[in-house]
Amino acid sequence: MNTVNKASALVVRRGRFSARLERRTLWFLVVMIVVIAGLTLLGLCYGAAWASPARVFAALTGSGGGPGVVIREWRLPRVLAGLVFGAALGLAGAIFQNITRNPLGSPDVIGLDAGAYTGALVAITVLSGTSTQLTIGSVLGGVITAAIVYALSLGGGLSGLRLIVIGIAVNAMLTAFNSWIVLRAELEIAIAAVGWNAGSLNGIGWDDVAIPFGVLAVLFVVLFTRAPALHQAALGGALAVTTGVRWDRLRLVLVLIGVGCTATVTAVAGPIAFIALAAPQIGRRLARTPGVSLLPAALTGAVLLTGADLAAQMLLAPEALPVGVVSTVIGGGYLIWLLTKEVRRT
């Protein structure tokens, strides 16, 4: 009888704990949506000339006149790019952190950003550097890099730590190769390539984001259909197989989605560092989810990139910094904190 009572009490406690987690997650989602709405409004109001919320609303409804054109054609695509690209980077980070089961597993750490940048550099220096060529070059560079890291990681059995270490090595070699390409390029091309490498949302318009938004929408839908299997796989490949998950096939699909998200953002805005690294873990801690969940990672990524872009516009106004500079500061601070915490744990 005592055993039954203890078991019942344990079930009740677990139920209450789960309910608290669900309430915490729900509140997190509500707060993040409010923050995103606030950042969106601020991004539409802020510019060379401040626009009141009433003027922004008038512009969005098509009755804003001259200032309305600025808001609709210049500020709105930039704000939406920050939200969508930030969500894409957050999801890419969540994918690789779930696959590697390591908070350091993200596209910018394991070399996918550098690989996408290599493909874009080839498009800029060898070809004419059109938006289509940049997109194709970035995707091919990211896919080839992922294939190399994945293949090298298979020796002796694929493990998260092995993949991260090999990815860091590949990242270092690609960074050196990219520097060589820039140094060998003509001066004007080299300046453009270095500026683009900083990661920036400056000057983004509807023509720049129409196709990337469509590609990312497809990737988002495919990813969220795989979300239940991904969360099972986060417990370990062997355990996932016992629950009916085809782990090898799922892992390949997830890697392709992660590469697609990273390369698509890189093709338009350049490699924006550390958002993919920081967003999943910050979202997990704020939402108190048991693992790295997709939705908190996406919302946190959107907030981080949009907030970083606003900070980049305000810090040296009227000059706008590349958003990659601000995201590197944020992500670098997060990385130092994460490494310090891991050292204390050991």
Side-chain angles (χ1 to χ4, degrees):
M1 182 65 67
N2 290 335
T3 302
V4 174
N5 291 336
K6 289 180 180 179
S8 300
L10 181 60
V11 170
V12 171
R13 285 197 297 270
R14 286 181 176 176
R16 291 175 178 173
F17 179 69
S18 176
R20 286 197 298 270
L21 281 179
E22 291 178 358
R23 286 196 296 270
R24 172 97 181 188
T25 302
L26 180 60
W27 275 111
F28 165 80
L29 296 178
V30 172
V31 170
M32 293 300 282
I33 290 173
V34 172
V35 172
I36 287 174
L39 289 174
T40 300
L41 179 60
L42 180 59
L44 294 175
C45 291
Y46 185 81
W50 176 265
S52 65
R55 179 172 293 181
V56 168
F57 179 77
L60 296 180
T61 56
S63 58
V69 174
V70 173
I71 293 171
R72 290 193 302 270
E73 301 299 325
W74 295 358
R75 298 182 188 177
L76 183 58
R78 179 174 187 153
V79 170
L80 291 180
L83 294 174
V84 176
F85 291 169
L89 293 175
L91 289 174
I95 288 173
F96 287 102
Q97 289 179 15
N98 273 303
I99 291 176
T100 61
R101 302 177 66 190
N102 192 307
L104 290 176
S106 72
D108 39 6
V109 172
I110 63 178
L112 301 189
D113 278 9
Y117 181 45
T118 302
L121 278 178
V122 172
I124 293 173
T125 56
V126 178
L127 304 176
S128 57
T130 64
S131 58
T132 302
Q133 292 170 351
L134 280 174
T135 301
I136 296 175
S138 296
V139 172
L140 287 178
V143 169
I144 293 172
T145 303
I148 293 173
V149 173
Y150 190 86
L152 293 175
S153 302
L154 288 175
L158 181 67
S159 68
L161 181 60
R162 181 182 179 87
L163 188 146
I164 291 172
V165 172
I166 291 175
I168 292 174
V170 171
N171 187 21
M173 290 186 287
L174 284 174
T175 300
F177 181 65
N178 293 340
S179 298
W180 179 81
I181 293 177
V182 172
L183 290 173
R184 297 283 296 179
E186 297 180 3
L187 181 59
E188 293 182 359
I189 296 176
I191 292 174
V194 170
W196 186 77
N197 182 42
S200 177
L201 299 180
N202 299 335
I204 284 183
W206 289 116
D207 293 338
D208 301 310
V209 299
I211 295 177
F213 280 4
V215 172
L216 291 175
V218 173
L219 293 175
F220 290 173
V221 171
V222 175
L223 175 58
F224 278 98
T225 60
R226 302 292 193 278
L230 172 62
H231 293 151
Q232 292 180 28
L235 301 175
L239 183 59
V241 171
T242 62
T243 59
V245 175
R246 301 176 63 178
W247 174 228
D248 292 335
R249 180 178 177 181
L250 175 64
R251 183 166 52 193
L252 177 60
V253 172
L254 292 175
V255 168
L256 291 176
I257 294 174
V259 171
C261 289
T262 303
T264 302
V265 174
T266 302
V268 180
I272 301 175
F274 288 115
I275 297 295
L277 173 69
Q281 292 298 318
I282 294 176
R284 181 180 71 85
R285 285 173 169 80
L286 292 177
R288 296 287 180 89
T289 56
V292 181
S293 299
L294 296 179
L295 187 56
L299 293 176
T300 305
V303 168
L304 286 179
L305 185 54
T306 306
D309 186 49
L310 283 170
Q313 296 179 62
M314 296 176 180
L315 285 175
L316 297 179
E319 297 295 328
L321 289 172
V323 67
V325 174
V326 179
S327 68
T328 299
V329 172
I330 296 173
Y334 165 78
L335 182 59
I336 292 173
W337 173 82
L338 179 63
L339 293 175
T340 304
K341 184 177 180 181
E342 291 297 323
V343 168
R344 289 177 178 174
R345 182 180 297 176
T346 56

